[in-house]
């Protein structure tokens, strides 16, 4: 069986593509949607978790640092309040106290000093030689004299290294002495430096003017947008303020700040977002990876399945195609079978004549004596008759063979009119005995159609055969007309037969539907016609009136005039 | 010529002529017509003893013609000629009181034999019926 009537490869490609798209969209879209929702919710939850963590961390350190400062101040206040100025004036006493404090608190206290009301340090215990140093003009001294006690900002001072001062007043005879201790910057710095957040996070302390009170682990651009924005905020009420901005080198950063030391200092922290959210980001990466891998698997599987499915469909299609061809073949044989009785009779008639004529010659030759002139010419006439009838037989068998040969689905340029004539000559005998007159009106210059001649012959044979069968013993007329119709070729086969009941009209093209008695019709004829005409891109329609006859109209696409020369068939009507 | 009259009915003119010609040569008084309608018309005009009738004819076919002949001329014997493919019609003809059926092409001798037999029966039936008439 040929496969050139199968569907084009493009059809199967489109089918595969649509199947794959459908499966991929249906399976991946919900996955993507739920993934996105989960990621979003997780992101939000993690965001607040990170901020809370930062807040807790900053609050804890803020308390630690505040406690450290008030404790150190308390140490000095206890010292100032516990001993009279006379005792404090004793350098040995101060040294003893300093070593006690250093023992207790490590290297936090650097030195101790007593500053008289004029700002001169009268006694000093410590590593530097600052006895007699004059602080009258120092900023911290002025500020310290204003209150009961005092913690200075970090400054370099006389010694030229960063430190800050914790001082407490000691009133003696209406004059304010100051007991002053220097806190080692490094020791204080360690408190903040210990505050490490993740891999990249660190903290530092600023005063309200924006100078560093501790040494940040990394350089901090306070002038940069994010810090400026954050430090301009009120930062009151002991709350931690957190913002997220793009920092230097285009890194996403988290910035946090909270007031300290009654609002005169600010503890600041910064961390790279990628670090803070590293777990989130790795979860996101994993989710995306799973999604991508899953997507690839889904696409591959759907491709594989679609391929298989489409292959199966293609296989089924080609099987169906083969089956159709077989059915056409079967239908063809069935129609020839229906014609067989007529054709047998048609052959039988000339055979009977030949037998009679041969017998006649025998009779003549059995006469006694020499053959007369008259007898000889009679024999000659009989022989000629035998020859004529012989060639009539030959024609009939030739016609029958032209129909009985195998169906060839190859599409050629076909002249519809000559096919009609062939078919009518075949049905002629049958119709004559049925009392049916066949009229033809074949349009001249009919364009050719692209079709398989044997298949189209089949269509015509079925239609004309049915038309003849539709006419009852009263006799009637079957007319076959062909004419061009605007790019189409129209063939009309109408009969004056019994017609088709409206209820049956819808079913006549169904396979195996027949109203003929069992054994006389396969019910395949019209369904085969329908299949063949559909395949050729044509149309078949029927109108019928019960008792008045039916008309079948077949429209076939014509080969355009430029492609093929029109046929020149003599439109002479035949009957 | 024979003492009885035979009517041959066949739509195929060449066959008809040839058969009539040969029958005449065998001294059978035969006449040919080409359709059922013509046969009925002929019988209405003049008597015949045996009718040889082709079953398959356009217009009025052999079976219909047989039915009509038996209706209007019941004593006429009818021999049917059928093709191989229409033996059923021959059998149907027998139920309609045809004398016999023969399958075309038929040997002339056999046909004549059948015609004689048919005529014999026709004679017997005719004698019985005339005897009945005499007795009545």
């Amino acid at each position: 069986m040929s496969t050139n009537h199968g569907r084009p490869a493009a059809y199967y490609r489109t089918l595969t593509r649509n199947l794959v798209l459908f499966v991929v969209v249906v399976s991946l879209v919900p996955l993507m949607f739920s993934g996105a929702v989960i990621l979003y919710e997780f992101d939000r939850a993690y965001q607040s978790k990170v901020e809370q963590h930062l807040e807790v961390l900053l609050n804890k350190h803020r308390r630690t640092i505040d406690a450290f400062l008030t404790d150190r101040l308390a140490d000095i206040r206890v010292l100032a309040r516990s001993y009279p100025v006379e005792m404090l004036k004793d350098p040995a006493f101060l040294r003893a106290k300093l070593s006690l404090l250093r023992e207790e608190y490590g290297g936090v206290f650097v030195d101790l000093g007593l500053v008289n009301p004029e700002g001169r340090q009268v006694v000093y215990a410590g590593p530097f030689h600052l006895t007699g140093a004059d602080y009258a003009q120092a900023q911290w001294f002025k500020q310290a004299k204003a209150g009961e006690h005092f913690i200075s900002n970090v400054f370099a001072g006389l010694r030229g290294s960063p430190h800050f001062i914790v001082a407490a007043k000691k009133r003696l005879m209406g004059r304010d002495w100051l007991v002053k201790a220097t806190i080692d910057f490094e020791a204080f710095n360690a408190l903040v430096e210990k505050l490490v957040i993740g891999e990249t996070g660190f903290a530092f302390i600023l005063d309200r003017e924006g100078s560093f009170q501790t040494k940040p682990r990394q350089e901090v651009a306070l002038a940069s947008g994010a810090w400026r924005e954050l430090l301009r905020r009120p930062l009151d009420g002991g709350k931690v303020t957190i913002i997220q901005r793009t920092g230097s080198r285009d890194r996403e950063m988290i910035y946090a700040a909270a007031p300290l030391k009654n609002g005169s200092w600010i503890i600041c922290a910064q961390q790279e977002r990628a670090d803070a959210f590293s777990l989130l980001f790795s979860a996101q990466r994993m989710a995306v990876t799973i999604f991508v891998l899953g997507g690839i698997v889904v696409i591959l599987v759907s491709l594989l399945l679609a391929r298989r499915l489409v292959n199966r469909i293609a296989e089924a299609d080609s099987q169906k195609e083969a089956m159709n061809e077989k059915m056409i073949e079967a239908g063809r044989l069935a129609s020839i079978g229906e014609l067989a009785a007529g054709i047998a009779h048609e052959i039988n008639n000339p055979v009977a004549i030949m037998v009679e004529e041969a017998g006649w010659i025998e009779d003549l030759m059995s006469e006694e004596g020499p053959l007369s002139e008259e007898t000889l010419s009679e024999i000659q006439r009989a022989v000629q008759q035998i020859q004529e009838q012989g060639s009539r037989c030959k024609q009939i068998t030739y016609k029958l063979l032209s129909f009985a040969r195998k169906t060839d689905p190859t599409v050629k340029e076909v002249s519809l009119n000559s096919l009609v004539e062939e078919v009518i000559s075949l049905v002629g005998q049958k119709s004559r005995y049925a009392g049916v007159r066949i009229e033809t009106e074949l349009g001249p210059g009919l364009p050719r159609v692209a079709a398989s001649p044997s298949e189209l012959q089949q269509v015509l044979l079925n239609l004309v055969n049915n038309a003849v069968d539709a006419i009852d013993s009263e006799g009637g007329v079957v007319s076959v007309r062909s004419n061009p119709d605007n790019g189409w070729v129209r063939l009309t086969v109408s009969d004056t037969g019994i017609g088709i009941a409206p209820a049956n009209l819808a079913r006549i093209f169904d396979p195996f539907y027949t109203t003929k008695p069992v054994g006389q019709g396969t019910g395949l004829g019209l369904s085969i016609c329908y299949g063949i005409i559909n395949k050729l891109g044509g149309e078949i329609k029927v109108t019928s009136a019960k008792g008045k006859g039916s008309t079948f109209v077949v429209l076939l696409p014509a080969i355009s005039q430029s492609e093929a020369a029109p046929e020149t068939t003599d439109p002479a009507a035949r009957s | 010529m024979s003492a009885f009259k035979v009517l041959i009915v066949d739509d195929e003119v060449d066959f008809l002529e040839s058969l009539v010609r040969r029958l005449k040569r065998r001294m059978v008084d035969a006449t040919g017509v080409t359709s059922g309608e013509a046969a009925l018309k002929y019988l209405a005009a003049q008597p015949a003893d045996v009718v040889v009738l082709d079953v398959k004819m356009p217009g009025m076919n052999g079976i219909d013609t047989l039915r009509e002949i038996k209706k209007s001329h019941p004593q006429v014997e009818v021999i049917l000629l059928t093709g191989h493919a229409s033996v059923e019609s021959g059998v149907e003809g027998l139920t309609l009181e045809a004398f016999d059926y023969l399958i075309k092409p038929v040997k002339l001798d056999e046909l004549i034999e059948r015609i004689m037999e048919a005529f014999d029966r026709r004679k017997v039936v005719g004698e019985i019926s005339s005897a009945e008439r005499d007795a009545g």
Side-chain angles (χ1 to χ4, degrees):
Chain A
M1 285 292 152
S2 101
T3 54
N4 59 352
H5 285 86
R7 286 163 161 165
Y11 169 83
Y12 294 111
R13 276 201 299 276
T14 313
L15 191 63
T16 312
R17 197 195 58 206
N18 289 350
L19 274 173
V20 170
L21 272 181
F22 182 76
V23 171
V24 167
V25 166
V26 162
S27 55
L28 288 193
V29 162
L31 192 65
M32 210 147 59
F33 189 70
S34 63
V37 167
I38 289 169
L39 274 184
Y40 174 73
E41 292 297 330
F42 187 52
D43 184 87
R44 272 198 357 186
Y46 204 82
Q47 188 104 1
S48 73
K49 192 208 128 190
V50 163
E51 289 188 355
Q52 267 170 21
H53 174 68
L54 205 58
E55 201 176 317
V56 167
L57 213 60
L58 274 193
N59 274 333
K60 197 182 114 196
H61 276 78
R62 192 165 61 156
R63 274 196 300 278
T64 312
I65 291 162
D66 269 337
F68 175 84
L69 292 175
T70 47
D71 285 357
R72 297 302 80 76
L73 184 62
D75 289 338
I76 301 308
R77 285 177 72 185
V78 167
L79 190 68
R81 286 172 73 174
S82 305
Y83 305 102
V85 173
E86 284 71 32
M87 277 179 81
L88 293 171
K89 275 181 180 165
D90 178 5
F93 178 77
L94 267 190
R95 268 198 297 277
K97 284 293 164 198
L98 178 65
S99 66
L100 199 66
L101 284 170
R102 284 177 72 92
E103 253 170 55
E104 203 63 34
Y105 299 113
V108 169
F109 288 96
V110 178
D111 55 15
L112 279 177
L114 183 66
V115 179
N116 70 11
E118 283 74 41
R120 187 164 296 273
Q121 184 161 258
V122 290
V123 188
Y124 172 79
F128 305 103
H129 301 288
L130 292 171
T131 312
D134 186 4
Y135 294 115
Q137 298 309 313
Q139 186 69 28
W140 69 267
F141 181 68
K142 289 176 185 165
Q143 282 173 312
K145 281 192 78 174
E148 273 304 300
H149 44 79
F150 171 69
I151 300 170
S152 79
N153 287 343
V154 176
F155 66 107
L158 291 173
R159 65 194 74 179
S161 72
H163 64 285
F164 67 93
I165 287 167
V166 181
K169 264 189 196 162
K170 180 82 185 168
R171 193 169 283 268
L172 182 71
M173 293 177 293
R175 310 269 316 257
D176 288 334
W177 293 68
L178 282 177
V179 178
K180 144 203 177 245
T182 305
I183 303 291
D184 177 32
F185 177 74
E186 292 298 327
F188 177 65
N189 207 30
L191 277 180
V192 182
E193 219 167 25
K194 268 195 312 198
L195 177 50
V196 174
I197 313 158
E199 305 252 313
T200 61
F202 60 90
F204 54 91
I205 295 173
L206 294 174
D207 65 13
R208 277 289 172 179
E209 280 72 47
S211 22
F212 289 102
Q213 301 301 304
T214 63
K215 201 170 75 201
R217 270 206 307 171
Q218 286 171 25
E219 215 172 290
V220 173
L222 286 183
S224 78
W227 277 122
R228 266 224 329 249
E229 181 191 338
L230 188 57
L231 294 177
R232 210 177 289 142
R233 294 199 179 177
L235 297 176
D236 288 334
K239 269 184 153 175
V240 179
T241 307
I242 296 173
I243 60 169
Q244 296 192 24
R245 294 289 182 276
T246 307
S248 57
R249 282 172 293 169
D250 282 333
R251 292 221 178 116
E252 290 291 320
M253 305 289 285
I254 304 172
Y255 301 95
L260 193 67
K261 204 184 143 199
N262 295 326
S264 61
W265 287 2
I266 300 164
I267 181 164
C268 299
Q270 74 172 50
Q271 190 183 12
E272 282 184 19
R273 250 194 114 219
D275 177 32
F277 291 102
S278 65
L279 266 175
L280 175 69
F281 291 154
S282 80
Q284 277 175 348
R285 268 196 302 277
M286 193 175 290
V288 167
T289 308
I290 288 171
F291 178 77
V292 166
L293 288 180
I296 289 171
V297 168
V298 165
I299 289 170
L300 285 181
V301 167
S302 67
L303 255 175
L304 197 74
L305 285 182
R307 283 260 173 80
R308 271 199 197 170
L309 196 64
V310 167
N311 279 347
R312 281 281 172 84
I313 291 172
E315 218 170 274
D317 278 351
S318 77
Q319 272 173 6
K320 196 180 131 207
E321 194 68 31
M323 204 97 113
N324 267 344
E325 281 172 22
K326 282 202 177 113
M327 193 159 104
I328 291 173
E329 192 74 37
R332 170 180 211 82
L333 292 176
S335 358
I336 289 167
E338 279 175 48
L339 286 176
I343 287 167
H345 194 85
E346 202 176 356
I347 290 179
N348 220 15
N349 275 334
V351 169
I353 294 169
M354 284 191 280
V355 169
E356 288 312 317
E357 294 292 350
W360 178 235
I361 293 170
E362 203 178 24
D363 289 350
L364 291 173
M365 284 171 67
S366 66
E367 273 179 23
E368 288 184 12
L371 298 176
S372 68
E373 192 84 353
E374 199 188 335
T375 313
L376 271 177
S377 76
E378 184 58 25
I379 289 175
Q380 203 163 9
R381 185 206 59 78
V383 168
Q384 208 177 336
Q385 178 71 284
I386 290 172
Q387 278 171 345
E388 250 174 54
Q389 298 304 323
S391 71
R392 196 174 139 199
C393 283
K394 199 176 107 187
Q395 273 174 16
I396 295 163
T397 51
Y398 183 79
K399 264 194 293 186
L400 187 62
L401 282 177
S402 87
F403 273 83
R405 74 181 168 229
K406 201 167 163 52
T407 309
D408 175 11
T410 315
V411 171
K412 291 176 186 149
E413 285 184 13
V414 181
S415 150
L416 190 67
N417 284 350
S418 55
L419 278 184
V420 169
E421 280 168 10
E422 263 179 66
V423 166
I424 284 168
S425 74
L426 196 64
V427 184
Q429 188 73 12
K430 170 180 166 169
S431 63
R432 205 153 63 81
Y433 290 118
V436 175
R437 196 153 46 87
I438 299 184
E439 290 174 352
T440 57
E441 197 181 303
L442 303 180
L446 197 67
R448 287 166 179 267
V449 293
S452 145
S454 55
E455 285 181 2
L456 199 53
Q457 201 180 38
Q458 168 86 27
V459 171
L460 295 172
L461 183 61
N462 281 333
L463 290 181
V464 176
N465 232 347
N466 279 347
V468 171
D469 287 343
I471 291 169
D472 56 20
S473 53
E474 308 276 290
V477 178
V478 168
S479 56
V480 182
R481 288 190 300 279
S482 69
N483 53 283
D485 182 4
N486 203 13
W488 295 79
V489 171
R490 178 198 294 272
L491 176 84
T492 313
V493 178
S494 50
D495 62 67
T496 58
I498 53 172
I500 304 164
N504 296 341
L505 210 54
R507 299 180 54 196
I508 59 166
F509 293 115
D510 292 352
F512 305 111
Y513 178 77
T514 181
T515 55
K516 290 181 182 176
V518 175
Q520 286 191 25
T522 56
L524 288 177
L526 282 177
S527 85
I528 288 170
C529 288
Y530 188 84
I532 291 173
I533 288 165
N534 240 355
K535 192 168 75 173
L536 296 176
E539 239 182 274
I540 181 166
K541 287 181 289 196
V542 60
T543 52
S544 185
K546 187 86 185 151
K548 286 188 176 163
S550 314
T551 301
F552 284 81
V553 177
V554 174
L555 282 171
L556 289 170
I559 297 175
S560 65
Q561 300 286 339
S562 55
E563 285 173 48
E567 57 180 301
T568 50
T569 306
D570 188 26
R574 293 155 37 111
S575 58
Chain B
M1 278 292 161
S2 64
F4 56 90
K5 181 91 185 144
V6 178
L7 179 66
I8 314 286
V9 188
D10 197 308
D11 61 312
E12 195 71 38
V13 181
D14 289 330
F15 175 77
L16 189 64
E17 281 175 355
S18 177
L19 186 60
V20 169
R21 199 183 301 127
R22 290 187 73 198
L23 285 172
K24 279 187 174 153
R25 195 181 161 84
R26 303 286 176 97
M27 306 312 266
V28 175
D29 184 4
T31 311
V33 291
T34 56
S35 70
E37 290 89 343
L40 289 173
K41 210 190 264 174
Y42 180 93
L43 286 177
Q46 58 231 72
D49 298 298
V50 178
V51 175
V52 178
L53 190 56
D54 187 21
V55 170
K56 202 144 194 187
M57 287 187 296
M60 197 175 185
N61 67 26
I63 298 297
D64 293 340
T65 313
L66 168 65
R67 207 176 274 124
E68 287 304 313
I69 289 173
K70 283 290 170 188
K71 215 185 276 170
S72 50
H73 311 281
Q75 72 278 41
V76 171
E77 292 298 338
V78 178
I79 295 170
L80 292 172
L81 288 183
T82 72
H84 270 293
S86 46
V87 172
E88 298 94 332
S89 328
V91 176
E92 190 189 348
L94 290 186
T95 65
L96 290 170
E97 293 175 43
F99 176 73
D100 201 354
Y101 71 90
L102 297 170
I103 293 168
K104 272 211 260 188
V106 63
K107 279 195 176 125
L108 191 66
D109 293 338
E110 196 188 337
L111 178 62
I112 291 173
E113 204 175 301
R114 285 285 158 201
I115 290 172
M116 303 291 269
E117 282 172 24
F119 176 64
D120 286 346
R121 190 169 94 159
R122 156 102 175 83
K123 266 197 306 193
V124 172
V125 173
E127 271 161 19
I128 291 169
S129 58
S130 63
E132 277 171 356
R133 210 178 317 122
D134 293 345

